[in-house]
Amino acid sequence: MTEPPPERVVARLRPHARRLVRPAVFVVLVTAAGGFGFGVFRAQLAWLNAVVALVVVVLVVLGGAVPLFRWMSERYVVTTRRLVVVHGLGTRTRRELLHSRGYDVTVRRRGLQGLFRSGDVLVFPGDDPAVVLADVAHADLVVAVLHDLVEAYEARRRHREPDWDEIVGGPDRPPWGDVRA
């Protein structure tokens, strides 16, 4: 029996970077408003400058850094043997789906995702809950690759394993009712 080929990484994916546009615009607007606040309260109320600076820092962290870290914490790795989904900031969650178990894959597009050729790739691994690869760029290509990997594994399995007829003795074997004692 031959050894299976080594596992190779086919693709490393993240959600579409379009998610970072709103936080980037928010950070620019908050820093511009903070700069304006420093200009208005420059000489009159020094303690108010400290309050404006604190508010700007808190808003930049909550409105800019947190969405960036959340986006960076989601990643999807497609290998020749499995699909790995990792997400989470404080608590990391890792889920692996083996291509050998087989699964159904579909694309869901909402809003402007069709314009950017992105979408949510839904992977249905049998009775388990669906795994969502959220807002992946080139979603149709990701689905095609996952289908190809599952089909390639199935073809290798069929080539390696004996057929049902070979297991029970071939098509020439008499039916179970004719077994002689």
Side-chain angles (χ1 to χ4, degrees), residues 13 76 78 83-85 119-123 131-136 142 146:
L13 307 167
Y76 318 115
V78 180
L83 168 65
V84 181
V85 178
D120 298 335
V121 176
L122 304 169
V123 181
V131 174
V132 179
L133 309 181
D135 200 17
V136 176
V142 172
L146 290 174

Side-chain angles (χ1 to χ4, degrees), residues 33-148:
F36 178 75
F38 274 118
V40 169
F41 303 118
R42 179 177 20 172
Q44 299 158 350
L45 303 170
W47 65 272
L48 205 50
N49 280 336
V51 171
V52 168
L54 181 66
V55 168
V56 167
V57 167
V58 167
L59 288 176
V60 165
V61 167
L62 292 178
V66 170
L68 174 67
F69 291 138
R70 181 173 285 142
W71 177 79
M72 289 175 59
S73 71
E74 290 184 52
R75 67 175 185 259
Y76 318 115
V77 180
V78 180
T79 71
T80 53
R81 289 191 187 159
R82 59 192 161 174
L83 168 65
V84 181
V85 178
V86 180
H87 63 87
L89 279 174
T91 303
R92 279 258 196 249
T93 303
R94 178 183 173 112
R95 184 157 180 202
E96 296 184 9
L97 298 173
L98 297 173
H99 301 314
S100 63
R101 294 189 57 197
Y103 44 76
D104 293 328
V105 184
T106 187
V107 175
R108 176 180 62 199
R109 288 197 166 94
R110 295 174 286 158
L112 296 175
Q113 287 179 334
L115 182 66
F116 293 101
R117 293 190 320 193
S118 65
D120 298 335
V121 176
L122 304 169
V123 181
F124 299 98
D127 294 336
D128 296 335
V131 174
V132 179
L133 309 181
D135 200 17
V136 176
H138 304 287
D140 293 329
L141 180 60
V142 172
V143 168
V145 167
L146 290 174
H147 280 300
D148 289 346

